[in-house]
Amino acid sequence: FFQAAAHEDVKLGLSNKVSRERFGQEISKALNGPGRPGHMLSSFVRYGIDQIIFEAPKPIVEPLPGAVVRFLVPTQEERSSLSAALVEKMQEMLLKEEEEEKE
């Protein structure tokens, strides 16, 4: 799945055809299931689909002329900060999984 998701056509399809709610449901199942959630999350980053899955919501309505859009769409700096926090959390989860496997 992850290797297929690395293809640009598949990324476009994921971005345009899969709802954020569906991503949330599937990720919730994976995080709460018996598998290795750290591996799943690091695979999202490795194959470049993390930005699609964790993309900031798009505005539902058109902003009024002169409206401040910053409140609807995060800046690149904010997105980078969120991505960095996510990667840090994934690294923690992977280390924890590796320690548990050694025990």
Side-chain angles (χ1 to χ4, degrees), residues 19 37-38 40 43 48 54 57 67 103:
S19 72
M40 173 197 66
S43 295
F54 300 109
E103 294 175 357

Side-chain angles (χ1 to χ4, degrees), residues 1 7 34 37 40 54 59 64 67 69 72-73 78 81 85 87:
F1 168 80
H7 294 283
M40 173 197 66
F54 300 109
L64 297 172
V69 180
L72 299 174
V73 180
E78 290 167 330
S81 177
V87 168

Side-chain angles (χ1 to χ4, degrees), residues 2 8 10 12 18 21 37-38 41 47-48 55 73 81 89 95-96 99:
F2 290 114
E8 291 305 316
V10 175
L12 184 62
V18 180
E21 291 80 12
L41 294 172
Y47 294 106
E55 180 180 24
V73 180
S81 177
K89 184 64 176 173
L95 289 174
K96 183 179 177 183
E99 289 174 4

Side-chain angles (χ1 to χ4, degrees), residues 3-55:
Q3 290 176 342
H7 294 283
E8 291 305 316
D9 291 341
V10 175
K11 286 181 183 180
L12 184 62
L14 285 171
S15 181
N16 293 330
K17 296 182 180 182
V18 180
S19 72
R20 295 178 51 74
E21 291 80 12
R22 181 61 186 259
F23 280 133
Q25 291 168 354
E26 297 302 325
I27 290 171
S28 180
K29 288 179 198 176
L31 290 174
N32 294 310
R36 298 173 54 200
H39 178 71
M40 173 197 66
L41 294 172
S42 66
S43 295
F44 289 163
V45 174
R46 183 178 311 123
Y47 294 106
I49 60 173
D50 58 316
Q51 293 178 3
I52 295 167
I53 294 171
F54 300 109
E55 180 180 24

Side-chain angles (χ1 to χ4, degrees), residues 79-96:
R79 291 179 78 165
S80 295
S81 177
L82 289 170
S83 294
L86 178 62
V87 168
E88 183 178 328
K89 184 64 176 173
M90 287 189 292
Q91 289 172 338
E92 290 174 14
M93 292 175 73
L94 286 171
L95 289 174
K96 183 179 177 183

